[in-house]
Amino acid sequence: MRPISEEDLTTRARIRDAALGLFAEQGVKATTIRGIAEAAKVSPGLVQHHFGSKEALRRSCDEYVLAYLRDQVNAGITEHNLEKPEFIESVHRTAPPLMKYLGRALVEGSPAAATMFDDLVRLTEEHLASDEPGSDDDHRARAAVLTAMKLGITVLHEHVSRALGTDMYAQQGALRVSKAQLDLIRPEFLGRDLFEQARTGLEKYEGQR
C-alpha cells in the first residue's frame, strides 16, 4: 500500500468539508457524490477513491465532528482554556459548520448523532459539580437535559438567528448566544470555578471586539 501523501490528506479534508456543508444544508439523502465533488472541485471518481461510498463519507464526517467535540471539551474544561479569549475565538470560528451538521444529523435520526448525544451527556456529567459534598443531585438527568437544551439551539439555529436579528454563528451572534446560555445557568450547576472561567473568557473576548 502506498503511503498517504500530504496532497491526498488535503484533498480528503476538502472533500470531507464539502460533504459536511452539503449534508448539513440538504441532508444525507438529497446529497449526491456528484454534488460533493462539485463543491470540493474534484471528480466524482476522486471522492469514491478516498471514501468509497456516500455512506462511508458520512461516517467519516460523523467521526470528525465527534472528535472535534471531544477535543474542544478537553481543551476548554480539562486544560482550563475557557477563560482565554483566543480559545473562544477559535471555537466561534471553527464550530459553526460542524454544529450545523450535527443539528441536521439529530433531526434525521442518524445513529452517529445518537452516539454524539450520549457522548456529550457523558462528558457533561463528568464535569458537573456540586458545592455540597455528598450531594445526591441527579447529575445524569441534569447532564442529559443541559445537552438537549444546548443542542436544541443548534437544531433551531435558523429560528434563533431570526429572533436575534443576526446569524447566531456569526461573531456577534455567537457571543450573544454564549452569554445568554451562561446567564441561564446557576454557578452551582457547573461548579463555581468552571462558571467563573467561562464568564471571564467571554468578558475578555467581548472586550476585544
Side-chain angles (χ1 to χ4, degrees):
M1 180 182 295
R2 72 177 179 85
I4 298 175
S5 69
E6 183 175 342
E7 182 179 356
D8 281 345
L9 290 174
T10 301
T11 301
R12 183 179 176 87
R14 191 164 77 247
I15 294 169
R16 182 205 61 219
D17 290 348
L20 274 168
L22 289 176
F23 287 155
E25 181 182 349
Q26 302 174 170
V28 174
K29 289 183 179 179
T31 299
T32 64
I33 290 290
R34 183 171 297 279
I36 293 168
E38 289 177 357
K41 295 181 171 55
V42 299
S43 69
L46 196 56
V47 175
Q48 293 175 316
H49 166 74
H50 279 285
F51 294 97
S53 67
K54 184 172 72 171
E55 181 59 25
L57 178 50
R58 184 195 63 79
R59 286 197 300 270
S60 180
C61 290
D62 289 342
E63 291 165 2
Y64 178 70
V65 172
L66 185 53
Y68 174 88
L69 293 172
R70 287 171 173 161
D71 287 347
Q72 296 310 309
V73 170
N74 182 64
I77 298 177
T78 307
E79 297 177 5
H80 308 290
N81 285 309
L82 282 179
E83 62 184 352
K84 297 179 180 179
E86 58 268 27
F87 172 75
I88 296 173
E89 187 279 330
S90 175
V91 172
H92 285 181
R93 175 170 44 83
T94 59
L98 283 73
M99 297 309 293
K100 290 177 182 178
Y101 173 87
L102 177 55
R104 170 72 75 161
L106 288 165
V107 170
E108 293 187 340
S110 161
T115 299
M116 284 186 268
F117 182 89
D118 292 345
D119 216 53
L120 287 172
V121 171
R122 180 184 58 77
L123 289 168
T124 302
E125 184 180 13
E126 287 176 0
H127 294 290
L128 287 180
S130 172
D131 284 350
E132 298 181 13
S135 169
D136 60 355
D137 289 342
D138 188 349
H139 288 326
R140 182 67 177 181
R142 289 183 169 188
V145 171
L146 180 60
T147 300
M149 291 170 63
K150 291 178 71 66
L151 291 181
I153 294 174
T154 298
V155 172
L156 297 170
H157 68 90
E158 292 181 357
H159 300 287
V160 175
S161 296
R162 186 179 65 255
L164 293 176
T166 185
D167 184 355
M168 65 167 269
Y169 287 122
Q171 188 178 78
Q172 191 59 35
L175 180 60
R176 289 177 68 189
V177 169
S178 296
K179 289 174 64 179
Q181 287 179 321
L182 202 58
D183 286 343
L184 294 170
I185 298 174
R186 291 187 298 113
E188 294 79 11
F189 183 69
L190 293 178
R192 180 70 62 175
D193 288 346
L194 188 59
F195 181 89
E196 292 301 332
Q197 285 179 43
R199 174 71 74 190
T200 299
L202 284 174
E203 289 176 350
K204 289 180 179 178
Y205 178 67
E206 185 176 22
Q208 294 180 355
R209 299 307 94 207

